[in-house]
Amino acid sequence: GLELSVNNHAADFSLSTLPGPSVSLSCQVQNISQAEELLWYRGDGKVDLKDGNKVNVSNICVSPVTESDNGVTFTCRLARDQSVQVSVILDVQFPPQLTGEESLHVEEDKDVTMSCNAKSNPQAQTAWYKNNTTLALQQNRYRLYQTSEVFQLSIKKVQKSDNGTYTCTVKSSLGEGRKDFHLIVEDKKPVFPKEAVIAAVVVVTLTVLFGIVARKDKIFKV
């Protein structure tokens, strides 16, 4: 009948919180008949406890809580039988943190990718706009890529008509973030054929050499 409880939960649970404030976790042994030692783990790593904070009741504090603590599991275990345990998963909620602007100078017919940080909890809704109008995706030219942390827009072979301001928006129940990309499509640089350049250099070099030789012969005749 020996059981553990963490913050009065006898089974695994999720604890929602915000970044900043500290979170206290209290583990207690239920139905004890003798002194029982307790252990705490953060993920797979053992938490160091002071001697007066190990027997029958054990408390730990996560301070300050940060976004990196989201999804981290804390587990309280009975030392003599570690199959007796209760785990708590931190659910750290935070709004999208997306701001700023960026200028992109891209040569015509080149590819370009615009990337936004879409990290938030709960996961946000994302959208792209061009000049404050919902972006109409052109098939085979525009490609979207999205994970829980990254939101990207790629344009293949940019054209002059692609000039403009592209805005990435990330919205959740906790807030909204946005970032502007000022895309400037520059004229395509002329490409000189490598073979023609090499041939021209060879011709010029030979002409100069022949000129030197001819002048040398003329000097000797004089």
Side-chain angles (χ1 to χ4, degrees):
L2 199 64
E3 293 182 348
L4 297 181
S5 68
V6 174
N7 290 14
N8 297 320
H9 292 265
D12 297 348
F13 68 103
S14 176
L15 178 62
S16 295
T17 185
L18 297 174
S22 61
V23 168
S24 297
L25 302 175
S26 178
C27 182
Q28 294 185 342
V29 186
Q30 309 292 331
N31 304 323
I32 57 174
S33 58
Q34 63 183 43
E36 298 285 355
E37 183 182 354
L38 298 172
L39 306 173
W40 273 105
Y41 288 83
R42 176 190 171 104
D44 296 327
K46 190 175 180 181
V47 178
D48 291 331
L49 300 173
K50 294 182 179 180
D51 291 338
N53 190 29
K54 296 181 179 180
V55 180
N56 295 343
V57 179
S58 181
N59 301 290
I60 62 172
C61 182
V62 184
S63 179
V65 177
T66 67
E67 296 170 10
S68 62
D69 293 317
N70 184 47
V72 174
T73 299
F74 289 86
T75 303
C76 179
R77 293 174 178 166
L78 197 65
R80 67 181 177 89
D81 182 1
Q82 295 194 27
S83 65
V84 180
Q85 64 177 38
V86 175
S87 295
V88 51
I89 300 176
L90 291 189
D91 177 29
V92 183
Q93 300 191 349
F94 55 93
Q97 296 181 347
L98 181 63
T99 57
E101 57 184 320
E102 185 177 339
S103 292
L104 302 173
H105 295 260
V106 184
E107 187 180 330
E108 197 172 7
D109 282 341
K110 297 290 187 180
D111 297 343
V112 65
T113 296
M114 291 165 273
S115 182
C116 289
N117 171 21
K119 188 176 181 180
S120 65
N121 183 34
Q123 190 167 347
Q125 299 293 319
T126 54
W128 281 98
Y129 295 85
K130 180 182 179 183
N131 299 330
N132 296 320
T133 302
T134 302
L135 181 63
L137 299 180
Q138 297 181 28
Q139 195 172 12
N140 299 327
R141 289 195 62 234
Y142 290 1
R143 185 175 71 89
L144 294 179
Y145 172 79
Q146 184 172 359
T147 67
S148 60
E149 297 188 6
V150 178
F151 188 40
Q152 290 181 338
L153 170 66
S154 296
I155 306 177
K156 294 180 62 177
K157 295 184 176 180
V158 295
Q159 304 169 1
K160 289 290 187 178
S161 59
D162 293 319
N163 273 312
T165 298
Y166 293 78
T167 303
C168 166
T169 63
V170 184
K171 298 179 182 179
S172 77
S173 57
L174 296 180
E176 174 182 350
R178 57 184 286 145
K179 183 177 181 179
D180 290 332
F181 296 86
H182 305 293
L183 180 61
I184 302 168
V185 181
E186 300 178 339
D187 292 335
K188 190 174 182 180
K189 298 177 182 177
V191 178
F192 296 100
K194 186 184 295 184
E195 294 80 3
V197 173
I198 294 174
V201 171
V202 171
V203 170
V204 171
T205 303
L206 291 175
T207 301
V208 172
L209 288 175
F210 286 139
I212 293 173
V213 171
R215 188 171 181 182
K216 182 179 180 183
D217 292 340
K218 186 175 181 180
I219 291 172
F220 283 148
K221 287 180 181 179
V222 172

